């Protein structure tokens, strides 16, 4: 609606839904106050908040040139895809006034097979997260979890058969969380994605086993490790005893040469320095 009550911009359908690869019509009308030469532009804001011009200066922009036509009071798509999901703004300016109206476009795409992540082995008392996601469905699917082909209620505390369960389900993002897994949570889990664009799809069930800590296995592992170390030590001792390993070489005395001057009283050989060999032990 315009900023002045006399200048109005309206639509006959603010929430348009169309199947993927089919056409869609977005309507926009404005009051005569804007003048005969009122400027009408269309802009698109996608699901991430990014804005793009669809109609600018009276013509479709390049990304829309082959599938969008502007008529008086209408924007016509010959074909829409899931990338066209978002909000379209019809902006009108004229007579120094401005007004706009928003039209939401939802492109209908049935769910695909969701990707489910279910651990196969879990330890009791630990937190566990099971996830489920479908990136194709539009509008975004909601999710339902099954255990052994039986649907899990979103709030287990409201059902007598599930009052002892502690899981939490997020139907919007597909997460199934067990804050403290117990043996009663053992079972085959599958997830279903559903929207109003087509039939729901469910992933293949995966069995999750919840077990106590394997104390016996830990003890057995320690024993095996100790036995391996003992065998290694015995092998080294036996190899050294049989001479399979090289022995350390015995240290030998090193010769050294010492020069000594003759006695001050002379020597038998003309008082010269004589080279004498000695060993230092």
């Amino acid at each position: 609606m315009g900023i002045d009550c006399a200048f109005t911009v309206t639509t006959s359908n603010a929430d348009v839904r169309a199947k993927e690869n089919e056409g869609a019509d977005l309507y926009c009308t404005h009051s005569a106050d804007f003048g005969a030469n009122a400027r009408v532009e269309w802009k698109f804001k996608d699901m991430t908040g990014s804005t793009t011009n669809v109609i600018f200066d009276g013509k479709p922009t390049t990304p829309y040139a082959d599938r969008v036509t502007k008529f008086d009071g209408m924007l016509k798509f010959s074909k829409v895809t899931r990338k066209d999901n978002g909000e379209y703004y019809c902006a009108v300016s004229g007579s120094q006034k401005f007004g706009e109206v928003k039209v939401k476009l939802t492109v209908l795409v049935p769910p695909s097979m969701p990707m489910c992540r279910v651990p196969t082995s879990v330890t009791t008392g630990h937190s566990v997260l099971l996830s489920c996601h479908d990136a194709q469905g539009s509008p975004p699917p909601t999710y339902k979890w099954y255990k052994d082909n039986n649907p899990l209620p979103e709030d287990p505390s409201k059902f007598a058969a599930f009052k002892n369960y502690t899981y939490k389900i997020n139907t919007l993002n597909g997460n199934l969380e067990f804050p403290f897994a117990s043996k009663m949570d053992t079972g085959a889990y599958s997830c279903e994605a559903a929207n109003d664009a087509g039939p729901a799809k469910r992933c293949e069930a995966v069995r999750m086993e919840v077990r106590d800590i394997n104390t016996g296995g830990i003890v057995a592992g320690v024993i095996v490790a100790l036995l391996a170390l003992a065998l290694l030590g015995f092998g080294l001792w036996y190899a050294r005893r049989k001479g399979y390993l090289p022995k350390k070489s015995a240290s030998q005395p090193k010769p050294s040469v010492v020069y000594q001057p003759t006695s001050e009283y002379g020597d038998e050989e003309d008082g010269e320095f004589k080279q004498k060999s000695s060993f230092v032990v």
Side-chain angles (χ1 to χ4, degrees), residues 45 61 110 117 128 171 184 213 254 256 268 272 276:
K45 180 187 289 185
T61 57
R117 299 184 183 276
V128 185
T171 59
M184 67 184 298
I213 297 177
K254 298 181 180 179
S256 64
E268 296 177 355
E272 295 180 355
K276 296 184 179 181

Side-chain angles (χ1 to χ4, degrees), residues 1 10 16 32-33 41 71 102 107-108 137 149-150 152 173 188 227 236 251 279-280:
M1 183 168 293
T10 59
V16 177
D33 310 72
E41 295 181 347
F71 294 97
K102 179 177 71 175
V107 180
L108 303 177
N149 274 331
N150 297 313
L152 293 175
N173 66 16
L227 287 175
L236 292 173
S251 60
F279 292 88
V280 178

